[in-house]
Amino acid sequence: GIQVEQSPPDLILQEGANSTLRCNFSDSVNNLQWFHQNPWGQLINLFYIPSGTKQNGRLSATTVATERYSLLYISSSQTTDSGVYFCAGRDAGNMLTFGGGTRLMVKP
Amino acid sequence: EPEVTQTPSHQVTQMGQEVILRCVPISNHLYFYWYRQILGQKVEFLVSFYNNEISEKSEIFDDQFSVERPDGSNFTLKIRSTKLEDSAMYFCASRTGWNYEQYFGPGTRLTVT
């Protein structure tokens, strides 16, 4: 199966700052999802983005499938953005393989 | 907006006991999944289920685990004889037959003492 690496593992931001989270894949993926895990442990769907760019408010994501990476951009960060961000990819099978996550803390 | 629901939100059980975790997937979805996340670690795939049978399973999903769709709405994960290392958050997910995006439930936190 594929390997999924996320960077950075930890990130501390001041409120209002922008950030870029990265997700690298060891092999081609057929779909890619980004999630936010909130302090209660819930996985919130952010993006389903096999390729191209999508935007949702202050968040946007870009996947370059041919180069096996995806980026999540957070602009004007808020304290409520804190939590762990996971990317997950699917290769030829049916399951998602998750990365290790980026733990984000946004300070007021 | 439709969502995946899971019950209970938290379950505490003693080692060796059987537990059943319940999920109600989104109503028009056809593929169902269980994942788990040990505290502080990444989310790991356990099993996928389609057309009333297991379509894929991981090495974690050994003989002590089973899944069932007992009726048209529920999807369950049974752990026959729990071990301390089964303590984790268990997530149910589902998707349609034509879109690969998986939607996750809020999770059940299982604590084995």
Side-chain angles (χ1 to χ4, degrees):
Chain A
I2 58 170
Q3 306 295 316
V4 181
E5 298 290 332
Q6 290 188 244
S7 59
D10 296 281
L11 186 59
I12 300 174
L13 296 176
Q14 207 63 41
E15 199 168 27
N18 303 329
S19 63
T20 301
L21 281 56
R22 187 177 180 102
C23 183
N24 289 330
F25 302 94
S26 60
D27 206 339
S28 301
V29 293
N30 293 307
N31 70 267
L32 188 288
Q33 291 185 239
W34 282 97
F35 299 90
H36 176 218
Q37 187 165 42
N38 64 21
W40 296 271
Q42 297 174 332
L43 285 171
I44 310 299
N45 284 41
L46 295 178
F47 294 101
Y48 170 71
I49 184 164
S51 63
T53 298
K54 287 186 178 179
Q55 180 151 10
N56 185 2
R58 296 181 295 102
L59 302 182
S60 64
T62 295
T63 297
V64 184
T66 53
E67 297 187 21
R68 304 202 295 265
Y69 73 89
S70 184
L71 302 173
L72 178 70
Y73 306 96
I74 305 174
S75 65
S76 304
S77 57
Q78 300 176 358
T79 55
T80 51
D81 294 332
S82 297
V84 184
Y85 289 81
F86 289 102
C87 65
R90 181 185 69 85
D91 52 13
N94 200 9
M95 64 187 207
L96 287 176
T97 299
F98 281 74
T102 292
R103 186 173 302 274
L104 174 66
M105 181 185 297
V106 181
K107 294 186 171 182
Chain B
E1 185 175 328
E3 57 183 21
V4 178
T5 60
Q6 291 185 241
T7 54
S9 57
H10 189 192
Q11 176 139 8
V12 181
T13 190
Q14 288 192 324
M15 197 167 51
Q17 295 296 303
E18 174 182 287
V19 295
I20 297 176
L21 310 183
R22 289 181 167 81
C23 169
V24 179
I26 295 173
S27 63
N28 64 338
H29 285 190
L30 301 177
Y31 289 80
F32 314 112
Y33 306 83
W34 285 102
Y35 292 82
R36 80 171 186 189
Q37 183 184 30
I38 294 170
L39 187 63
Q41 298 187 20
K42 64 172 72 173
V43 179
E44 301 172 291
F45 167 77
L46 292 178
V47 65
S48 62
F49 192 85
Y50 169 71
N51 201 24
N52 279 321
E53 59 183 30
I54 291 173
S55 49
E56 276 183 289
K57 61 182 181 178
S58 71
E59 294 175 347
I60 304 167
F61 194 86
D62 61 22
D63 291 344
Q64 71 161 343
F65 290 93
S66 63
V67 289
E68 192 178 32
R69 188 156 164 81
D71 52 42
S73 59
N74 291 284
F75 179 51
T76 62
L77 174 69
K78 181 192 291 186
I79 310 175
R80 274 181 252 289
S81 177
T82 50
K83 305 171 188 168
L84 294 176
E85 54 265 35
D86 293 327
S87 294
M89 180 80 100
Y90 288 81
F91 293 102
C92 173
S94 68
R95 69 168 177 90
T96 66
W98 53 271
N99 184 326
Y100 283 94
E101 182 174 8
Q102 294 184 25
Y103 293 84
F104 281 70
T108 292
R109 186 171 299 283
L110 177 66
T111 302
V112 182
T113 61

